Amino acid sequence: MSRQAPTLEDVAREAGVSRATVSRVVNGVRNVDPAIQEVVRRAIERTGYAPNRAARSLVTRRAETVALVVSGVGDAPEEAQAAFAARVFADPFFGRVVAGIVGHLRPRSVHPVLMFAESAESRQEVLTYLRQGRADGALVVSSHADDPLPALLAEARLPAVLFARPSRPVPLSYVDLAHRDGGRLAAEHLLARGCRRLATVSGPLAVAASQERLAGFRDTLARHGQPYVPVAEGGFTLDSGMAAMADLLAQHPDLDGVFAANDLMAQGACQVLREHGRRVPEDVAVVGFDDSTVAVTCRPRLTTVRQPVEEMAADMARLLDEHIHGTRTAPTSVVFDPELVVRDSA
């Protein structure tokens, strides 16, 4: 005979409290004494009780899931959407976002559901999913400045938090980095090394973060008497960094310093410089951006501007939790400061 699954009554007897008290703890009701909460949690561990998620959802009126939406712009055909998803999974940035979100959600027994929104139809699917209560809110990572999804979420009054400030103001909370300050840190470091013939591999200029990083780099150089900075636009990928670096070398063979707007493109730049017989950093210094795993696996190891992605993603999940539970009603913003991490490439 199989042993019957532990019930709320079993936990209540083990903890020496009422069934109603156990129910309040299990359902996250906030007016339970912390000491009693701890007694109940220990009783749950000893009995092996597992809450019935469907029954709990009826009580809390929450799905205990959130939608992690990777969003873009336009009406991409199905093949392009598949390619977009493949690029997302290959990018270390997205893995860091997921790690930060899961790190916050897991202890709260909340789980993310990954959704892509690269077309009008898929954006509508996200809205329907949320309206039906199948997820309690959305964490949105947008890949394009003209992404219409944030405005659609705000108009529908659905709980949502954005990773990065939207290019068009919408009443939604967001977390972001002071990207312009990051570009400034890169420029100041290269100048301090004695670099004077500088160039940059920007990110896609349709992305606000790319524009800000480029602006910070250019502004700082202008303040030091360098009014012109050669720019080659990349796509935040290794291959695009290689192509951009090759273009810059062809047009400016005497350059001695490069700022790449993410680590993957900086790695691509280092590869091309090596292939052209340029030593890094002796001949050309290279600074990346993000401080991802690429920065320490690249050879030489990358000097880079650190973006604390995991902490930013965790804060994004925290803000969404506050909106869902009603402890925060007005939208807010949290802007993190970048930090220069000096290694071997510059």
Side-chain angles (χ1 to χ4, degrees):
M1 296 288 291
S2 61
R3 181 177 179 272
Q4 190 173 13
T7 64
L8 280 177
E9 288 78 5
D10 295 328
V11 177
R13 280 193 297 271
E14 180 71 22
V17 299
S18 69
R19 182 187 188 282
T21 297
V22 174
S23 178
R24 287 199 295 274
V25 173
V26 168
N27 290 316
V29 177
R30 296 175 182 269
N31 63 347
V32 181
D33 184 272
I36 294 177
Q37 291 184 40
E38 184 60 27
V39 169
V40 172
R41 290 192 186 103
R42 289 178 180 175
I44 288 172
E45 291 176 3
R46 289 195 296 271
T47 60
Y49 172 73
N52 183 308
R53 292 183 63 84
R56 181 174 172 179
S57 293
L58 289 174
V59 175
T60 63
R61 296 187 178 182
R62 292 195 296 271
E64 297 184 332
T65 64
V66 297
L68 171 54
V69 186
V70 183
S71 184
V73 67
D75 292 304
E78 189 172 336
E79 300 80 9
Q81 292 179 49
F84 173 76
R87 288 197 305 273
V88 168
F89 287 122
D91 191 336
F93 170 84
F94 182 70
R96 295 175 67 193
V97 171
V98 172
I101 289 171
V102 171
H104 178 86
L105 296 180
R106 181 180 288 165
R108 294 158 178 80
S109 298
V110 178
H111 306 282
V113 175
L114 179 61
M115 304 184 76
F116 290 96
E118 276 296 283
S119 66
E121 181 181 2
S122 59
R123 284 189 287 275
Q124 193 58 49
E125 287 175 359
V126 170
L127 295 173
T128 300
Y129 195 85
L130 293 167
R131 284 179 175 134
Q132 291 176 345
R134 296 165 70 185
D136 297 317
L139 299 166
V140 181
V141 181
S142 185
S143 64
H144 200 284
D146 293 327
D147 183 4
L149 183 61
L152 293 172
L153 290 166
E155 183 180 347
R157 299 181 180 275
L158 293 166
V161 179
L162 312 178
F163 194 105
R165 173 172 54 90
S167 59
R168 297 170 184 168
V170 292
L172 294 178
S173 294
Y174 66 82
V175 300
D176 204 355
L177 186 78
H179 295 281
R180 192 176 290 247
D181 288 345
R184 173 183 57 79
L185 289 172
E188 289 176 346
H189 182 72
L190 289 167
L191 289 170
R193 281 187 56 92
C195 299
R196 292 297 179 268
R197 297 176 300 280
L198 294 162
T200 181
V201 178
S202 78
L205 293 177
V207 176
S210 300
Q211 298 169 14
E212 289 291 297
R213 293 173 195 179
L214 177 59
F217 190 70
R218 278 175 161 165
D219 289 350
T220 302
L221 293 183
R223 289 174 182 270
H224 288 80
Q226 296 197 29
Y228 172 69
V229 183
V231 179
E233 183 178 359
F236 285 148
T237 64
L238 177 70
D239 288 345
S240 70
M242 295 178 70
M245 188 70 251
D247 288 345
L248 287 171
L249 270 180
Q251 297 176 43
H252 307 278
D254 62 340
L255 59 83
D256 62 1
V258 175
F259 168 48
N262 83 336
D263 290 340
L264 276 173
M265 295 193 300
Q267 182 183 34
C270 289
Q271 289 183 209
V272 169
L273 288 167
R274 262 197 314 271
E275 290 169 1
H276 285 76
R278 311 295 171 85
R279 298 169 300 165
V280 178
E282 293 85 355
D283 300 323
V284 182
V286 177
V287 175
F289 202 108
D290 282 339
D291 195 26
S292 63
T293 54
V294 171
V296 292
T297 57
C298 181
R299 292 295 177 266
R301 297 182 311 152
L302 290 174
T303 291
T304 186
V305 177
R306 182 170 191 269
Q307 178 173 204
V309 175
E310 293 85 354
E311 293 93 328
M312 294 168 69
D315 233 28
M316 181 169 64
R318 176 187 62 80
L319 289 175
L320 182 61
D321 187 54
E322 292 176 0
H323 284 300
I324 290 169
H325 288 90
T327 57
R328 182 180 296 279
T329 55
T332 189
S333 56
V334 180
V335 179
F336 287 73
D337 292 320
E339 176 188 355
L340 183 72
V341 180
V342 178
R343 295 194 180 94
D344 305 326
S345 67

